[in-house]
């Protein structure tokens, strides 16, 4: 028994997610379906990347991920299936898997152009139901990926990499790449590019200056702003007992400057 | 193994949906539960109809659907079970299945009045937990529908049909029947009542005039209003890269006029 | 096959809940996961208590409940496992199980301090992924609770009991303990402390006076305020066809006075 994990911007108000699950279960009653999120900001491919990067390695080997975030509904980005050493990824060729693939070994990329495995009639606006769900379900039943279409080279993948921080000696200039539902701001500054003495860093964002990277929220007083290495492995900025993004909604659009202070 | 699919206006903040699942699993650990939506607008029976009509045919044969939308909590609309050729529907006799039944062959309608299969004590306000969940669970275990109560005639069904569009020669006057979470307005104008030359139609709603029915969103420029045949099979109106309902919240209450323009 | 039921304040926008499910499924592919709610008000331990008390008894015997509500993220409240006669409860020792335990027979309490069963490296901010999910998964596989850490005495449990109403002869002074998504206000006045003649009660809250406790919503006219014994077994106050909390958001902070009127 395998797992199909779903990540979409469909929301949870309509029937869309339920319908996709019905399609999958009709084709393969034995496969298990797990939701990662259906509340990605509409069309935000970078947010979809972040959520998938943060979650996929925690799923069992051979999990099939469907990620549907489609800023340009009905556009011509082909539907693709990417098989890596450990997982399968199904979605549109719009960069939605770029960041996952930075750390995965690609084994095969298939353009999903064999409509024998599609639901008919194919709508123009709900490929989640008509293409992605049935392909994932047939794949979970053991159909060979080659059956779904022609193989392509990874050069054909639309690439939307994580913006890299600028590093100049002891100064790092980063960006906010995701805001979670607690209002915590997650940056693109990975802990691996920081030195061990975290207390020696000074963090500047807008006109805010924070001294030292803490272990966790409770290292600062209530309502104070705190910098810490998040469960994401990236530097995060938050307000203890508070929603930093709601309190200061402009912060997420600002550069973040991290300075290592030599004594 | 069979499936129970849930559609309610309970929301996802409280324990209500989880409690229903606990009740079902206690009675039949083997049945699988799939959520269609729990965010139907409170008491909106027409919206529940739309979501169920759009999704039920994509579920495996013999799926048991529970649809709970109860504008008049604790009212006297009896709980019923409808068995059709392919599916089972459990809910209150308040019209919540009217549109589904327009295309299904009814085999049996049972009023759920045998309280041997209810959870005791029965509350006045949470029949989802005390009546609908246990009945669905026992049904999924193979209990004969006749055990749950007395059979009734379809004349006793409260009927809440889809409002039909008015058709006068080349002019169709329709309504918005559902607004999805993207702000797309879905009308009651089915593609089957439209002629093939979709580009020859002119669509009027409020003081907006749209020329031609497109294939999909990306046929128009960003922020432009687009008419297209949706995955629902109905004519839909949306704004590309935008939430039309948020931008123009009054539109959903307006008539939509669709005119076929002979050259 | 057993069940792990989840109750958190993580929300449904991010990857957090999906990641937890991935962790569980990787350790025990056979266990079933059911969501109670992930939309508890952030850090509201009393709300978590209410939702768990209302739902847990409806789940199958041996269900493992994870309840994560952590007002003080990364604080020093130890992670614990409580085994009762019928269920298992996993969470932080911050009172999140206090009200459940008022009616359960405790068999064993374990402090989860054996990090052999944790996910490594352990983050400071996502113990749901790194501690609670793997412990629940291993427990569902049959690992003996004693393996997870040292046993402690129930005196060490942080206690956050349900505030009890004051009773003085025929007058009860209670509080609102939960507001559900319909805006219904749920009090701490259990039906067991009320006399049978419910129509003889007068209920006062703020400057509102309600005569009699009804059976259900439809006993009063639309928009009227109604008092009734809810599915929670507690006295609830609501507005028929309306969201009482939205209409009158201050009510939830008021005392509620219930007076039995002898003729």
């Amino acid at each position: 028994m395998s797992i199909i994990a779903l990540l979409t911007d469909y929301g949870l108000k309509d029937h869309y997610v339920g319908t996709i699950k019905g399609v999958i279960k009709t084709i393969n009653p034995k496969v298990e379906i797990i939701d990662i999120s259906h509340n990605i900001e509409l069309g935000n491919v970078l947010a979809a990347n972040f959520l998938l990067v943060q979650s996929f390695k925690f799923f069992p080997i051979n999990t099939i991920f469907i990620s549907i975030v489609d800023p340009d509904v009905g556009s011509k980005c082909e539907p693709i299936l990417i098989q890596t050493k450990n997982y399968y990824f199904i979605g549109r060729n719009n960069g939605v898997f770029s960041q996952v693939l930075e750390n995965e070994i690609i084994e095969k990329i298939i353009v999903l152009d064999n409509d024998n495995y599609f639901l008919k009639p194919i709508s123009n606006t709900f490929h989640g139901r008509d293409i992605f769900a049935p392909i994932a379900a047939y794949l979970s039943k053991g159909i060979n990926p080659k059956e779904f279409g022609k193989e392509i080279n990874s050069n054909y993948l639309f690439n939307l990499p994580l913006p890299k921080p600028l590093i100049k000696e002891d100064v790092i200039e980063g960006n906010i790449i995701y805001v979670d539902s607690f209002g915590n701001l997650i940056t693109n500054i990975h802990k691996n590019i920081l030195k061990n003495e975290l207390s020696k860093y000074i963090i500047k964002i807008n006109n805010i200056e924070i001294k030292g990277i803490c272990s966790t929220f409770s290292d600062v007083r209530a309502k104070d702003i705190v910098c810490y290495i998040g469960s994401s492995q990236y530097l995060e900025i938050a307000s203890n007992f508070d929603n930093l993004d709601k309190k200061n909604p402009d912060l997420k659009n600002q550069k973040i400057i991290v300075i290592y202070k030599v004594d």
Side-chain angles (χ1 to χ4, degrees), chain A residues 3 15 32 53 55 93-94 106 120 124 156 163 171 174 189 213 228 261:
Chain A
I3 289 176
H15 67 91
E32 191 166 356
V53 164
S55 56
N93 185 12
N94 61 4
I106 297 178
K120 310 279 172 46
N124 288 313
Y156 288 91
V171 179
I189 300 174
I213 297 170
Y228 57 97
K261 227 182 125 183

Side-chain angles (χ1 to χ4, degrees), chain A residues 2 64 81 88 90 134-145 148:
Chain A
S2 63
I64 299 162
L81 159 64
Y88 299 90
I90 293 174
I135 294 288
Y138 285 116
L139 179 64
S140 73
K141 280 185 89 170
I143 302 289
N144 190 319
F148 300 131

Side-chain angles (χ1 to χ4, degrees), chain A residues 50 80 135 149 263:
Chain A
F50 178 77
I80 53 171
I135 294 288
D263 313 273

Side-chain angles (χ1 to χ4, degrees), chain A residues 24-124:
Chain A
I24 290 171
K25 283 285 167 183
T26 302
I27 294 169
N28 184 2
K30 285 184 186 158
V31 74
E32 191 166 356
I33 305 169
I34 292 183
D35 300 302
I36 299 177
S37 171
H38 298 290
N39 293 323
I40 298 175
E41 192 195 352
L42 193 60
N44 190 336
V45 181
L46 280 172
N49 265 284
F50 178 77
L51 293 182
L52 193 56
V53 164
Q54 287 298 319
S55 56
F56 83 102
K57 287 200 174 160
F58 295 97
F59 280 81
I61 299 294
N62 288 327
T63 293
I64 299 162
F65 295 91
I66 299 181
S67 181
I68 309 175
V69 182
D70 202 1
D72 198 6
V73 177
S75 74
K76 294 291 174 283
C77 294
E78 0 35 337
I80 53 171
L81 159 64
I82 301 167
Q83 180 180 354
T84 68
K85 191 158 172 298
N86 292 319
Y87 297 108
Y88 299 90
F89 300 94
I90 293 174
R92 211 168 281 288
N93 185 12
N94 61 4
V96 78
F97 301 120
S98 295
Q99 295 174 31
V100 160
L101 298 177
E102 291 177 12
N103 299 299
E104 282 286 292
I105 298 161
I106 297 178
E107 299 207 330
K108 206 174 282 156
I109 308 171
I110 304 285
V111 172
L112 304 170
D113 57 11
N114 179 359
D115 69 5
N116 287 334
Y117 293 98
F118 295 174
L119 224 65
K120 310 279 172 46
I122 303 167
S123 69
N124 288 313

